[in-house]
């Protein structure tokens, strides 16, 4: 009998815990500026869907699309500077931790995933993207429905190019985003 009462109490606490958790989604528009030798600039939008594990922690997944302007300096290519455009689709897992449960809330988060490259030129076809890591921080401003988001972070993107042997093609970008949480 004691075990049944404990089991029922545990089940009720789990039910209560999961009823307080909820699904949420975000849409963000971001601008990314290269901070290494390749002065890449990109602009795009992402969508994240997640589940609140606790009132402070959300785990989820996201995807997006970005237009990128790739710039190669002469020292990287050993030829005149070169610029090309392309697009990429990041697909990633996302974690976000809010420091304050209600009201204006600062947060930290990270996204880790893989980016698929969409070339617009023959030269760009040799580019292959890979692992993407994006640690970030920001502030949520509550509204009547949802919240307005401001966010800043650092993005690392691995990249290879079959035409350029021996050069490190990975790049880093400083990221600024605005968004809306539903």
């Amino acid at each position: 009998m004691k075990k049944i009462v404990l089991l029922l109490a545990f089940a009720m606490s789990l039910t209560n815990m999961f009823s307080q958790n909820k699904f949420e989604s975000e849409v963000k528009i971001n601008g990314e500026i290269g901070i290494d030798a390749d002065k890449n600039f990109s602009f795009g939008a992402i969508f994240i869907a997640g589940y609140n594990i606790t009132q402070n922690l959300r785990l989820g997944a996201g995807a997006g699309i970005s237009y990128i302007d790739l710039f190669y300096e002469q020292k990287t290519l050993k030829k005149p500077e070169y610029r090309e455009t392309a697009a990429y689709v990041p697909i990633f897992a996302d974690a976000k931790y809010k420091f304050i449960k209600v009201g204006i809330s600062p947060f930290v988060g990270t996204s880790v995933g893989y980016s698929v490259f969409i070339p617009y030129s023959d030269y760009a076809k040799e580019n292959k993207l890979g692992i993407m890591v994006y640690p970030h921080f920001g502030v949520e401003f509550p509204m009547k429905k949802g919240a307005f988001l401001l966010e800043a972070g650092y993005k690392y993107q691995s990249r290879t190019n079959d035409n350029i042997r021996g050069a490190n093609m990975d790049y880093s970008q400083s990221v600024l985003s605005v968004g809306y949480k539903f």
Side-chain angles (χ1 to χ4, degrees):
M1 182 68 170
K2 191 177 191 183
K3 288 182 184 179
I4 294 173
V5 170
L6 286 174
L7 188 59
L8 285 174
F10 178 70
M12 287 174 58
S13 66
L14 280 179
T15 303
N16 186 33
M17 182 179 78
F18 284 114
S19 67
Q20 292 175 2
N21 296 330
K22 65 179 184 173
F23 173 82
E24 69 180 29
S25 57
E26 295 177 358
V27 175
K28 297 180 199 173
I29 296 173
N30 54 3
E32 304 169 355
I33 299 170
I35 55 176
D36 51 14
D38 298 325
K39 302 298 182 208
N40 300 324
F41 173 78
S42 59
F43 178 81
I46 59 173
F47 174 78
I48 299 170
Y51 190 76
N52 290 319
I53 303 300
T54 67
Q55 289 182 346
N56 297 78
L57 178 64
R58 184 198 70 209
L59 299 178
I65 187 156
S66 288
Y67 164 85
I68 186 166
D69 184 24
L70 299 165
F71 177 71
Y72 303 98
E73 290 183 337
Q74 186 174 2
K75 64 183 178 181
T76 304
L77 292 176
K78 298 182 174 118
K79 65 180 187 178
E81 295 177 343
Y82 180 76
R83 185 176 296 277
E84 65 185 358
T85 58
Y88 65 91
V89 176
I91 302 165
F92 53 90
D94 184 74
K96 178 178 175 181
Y97 182 83
K98 294 188 333 182
F99 293 103
I100 300 171
K101 296 174 188 173
V102 293
I104 296 174
S105 176
F107 64 85
V108 295
T110 190
S111 299
V112 178
Y114 189 85
S115 296
V116 178
F117 195 69
I118 303 169
Y120 293 164
S121 68
D122 289 336
Y123 185 79
K125 287 180 183 175
E126 305 301 323
N127 276 312
K128 292 175 183 58
L129 297 182
I131 300 297
M132 180 265 311
V133 179
Y134 171 53
H136 53 275
F137 64 93
V139 179
E140 272 187 19
F141 299 93
M143 301 172 71
K144 287 183 181 181
K145 280 193 157 192
F148 176 73
L149 308 168
L150 287 177
E151 184 177 289
Y154 164 83
K155 180 179 150 193
Y156 165 81
Q157 177 67 63
S158 70
R159 177 174 56 151
T160 59
N161 185 313
D162 294 339
N163 288 331
I164 304 172
R165 306 236 185 257
N168 180 3
M169 297 298 292
D170 300 348
Y171 61 89
S172 300
Q173 293 177 307
S174 177
V175 181
L176 294 174
S177 300
V178 295
Y180 182 77
K181 179 179 87 171
F182 298 94

